[in-house]
Amino acid sequence: MLDRYLEFTNSAFGKQVAASLGLPSPPRLLRATAGYEAAPLAGKTALFAADSAATATAATLAALKQLGAAVQVVPSHAGFASVKTGAQASGVELRNEGSETEPLPPVIVFDGTGLAGTKGLKEIYELFQPRMRKVAANSRVVVLARALADTDSVAAATAAAGLRGFVRSLAKEIGKNGSTANLLEVSKAGDAWLAGPLAFFTGPNSAYVTGQVLAVGDAPKGAAAPLHFGQSLAGKVAVVTGAARGIGAAIAELLAREGATVVGMDRPAEEGALGATMAPLNGLGLALDVTAPDAGERLASELKARFGGADIVVHNAGVTRDKMLRNMKPELWDMVLNINLGAILSINERLLQSGLKPGARFVCISSIGGIGGNAGQTNYAATKAGVIGYAESLAPILARQGMAINAVAPGFIETQMTAMMPTVNREVGRRVNSLAQGGLPQDIAEAVTFLASPLAHGVNGRTLRVCGQNWLGA
Ligand code: NAP
């Protein structure tokens, strides 16, 4: 559904009206219009700085080099020596930052993995504070922290945690011009897997992801790092449930964009719409209700027979049946629980017996409602919180078998589900986030595609919010 307010305030006249009345002016977000390039940052410059004892500078610079970025540095910054050490180790050529009048690069990366205590936090202040007025529209800020469990002292863990608050607040400040800021909490084993998350968070693919903290750790057993980023899903088979329309259709489209063959599943009543979605993708439509008693069996045998198994499974099918708990009939409770949660567990149980290829990756769609809760959504929120716990607890088991599972928690997304909301609720839902607008199905699909791909080998058991830093559950 078109966001008329965003369209209006982005017109010349609307801009003036919004400015004179002091109304919010949602920025136009820069989204990807094609798949990942082999080197996604080729032709772009990244400003890179670090704290004075940072331990991931070599790994971060090597990743930026692999992404094709030119690297600009600040010789007067306190952490410059650690940047130089990293550059020597990774063979990256550094350029000094230009004069004050030159624009700031659209990508800014700060490696804060060596903070020994709270005093060290001043080094991130010293990098950003003088440059805040120059942050260009749709810039990408990525900060790296050492995972708390991998820090050497309580003081270091405290400082690392401090970066969470810094990044979340920075995201709120720079969101006004469509810029994003996110934090990667990297375990020592995660250093080797940084390039993929950096590709996602520095690119147009993460336009609606901001103020988030994502843990990057070791990859599942046997995983190989991607050598290039374009068409990373070529040769893979991906299943998407609820693929006929909305977010599911967008997920199917983007997985196909990165080279996957897609099997879309939806209820038999949606067979026509499913066929229309899958045809341009050369995908396969499977009219199958996820709650059918034989859904797992039928899916597994189709996959086995046609493709030898699936590499990616995206559990997207979901429904809302909102009622205050006092008015909620048992059938509404059961329906939502069965579709949104029960079906995921039973289909996966069957697929894990047979129906998957080595290195399979699962992505489940949760919701920020499962994080913050919502009056009238006890059934829905229980399922969406359950999905988060499911991914977290299944991940270590899957990792030992070379597989991974993650979840995506959408905020307010412009779909049929949200178009049906009362007007006032819809308007509020759109604006209560740092980017002052709803996300698009494409935004969820980009996050799912990232998590389904080798770019996210270091991400397992996590839930990534795609919500423009929605205030719900923040
Ligand atoms: P949607 O437009 O209603 O699409 C959901 C799709 O799933 C529909 O095609 C639907 O078919 C299908 N489906 C429902 N029950 C099914 C079943 N038993 N078996 C197979 N397919 C089934 O919803 P959406 O907005 O794209 O949402 C997709 C996912 O994102 C859901 O899990 C939702 O909870 C989550 N989410 C959405 C938002 C948002 O703002 N839109 C926010 C947070 C989370 P029918 O049309 O026949 O029902």
Side-chain angles (χ1 to χ4, degrees), residues 17-29:
V17 173
S20 60
L21 296 177
L23 295 171
S25 215
R28 217 179 264 291
L29 303 184

Side-chain angles (χ1 to χ4, degrees), residues 308-331:
D311 303 277
I312 294 162
V313 181
V314 181
H315 290 287
N316 161 77
V319 294
T320 50
R321 291 295 183 273
D322 298 354
K323 280 276 178 226
M324 296 301 271
L325 186 55
R326 59 179 174 268
N327 299 325
M328 192 179 290
K329 299 257 167 29
E331 53 272 24

Side-chain angles (χ1 to χ4, degrees), residues 241-249 251 265-270 288-292 315-321 335 338-340 343 365-369 380 383-384 408-418 420-421 439 441 444:
T241 69
R245 60 185 165 89
I247 292 171
I251 294 170
M265 244 172 96
D266 213 299
R267 295 189 318 121
E270 300 292 332
L288 181 56
D289 189 317
V290 292
T291 60
H315 290 287
N316 161 77
V319 294
T320 50
R321 291 295 183 273
M335 180 191 188
N338 287 341
I339 295 174
N340 295 9
I365 305 299
S366 174
S367 165
I368 57 165
Y380 185 74
T383 65
K384 297 302 185 178
V408 169
F412 181 100
I413 305 299
E414 303 282 357
T415 63
Q416 208 160 307
M417 201 184 245
T418 48
M420 287 184 319
M421 288 167 81
I444 306 307

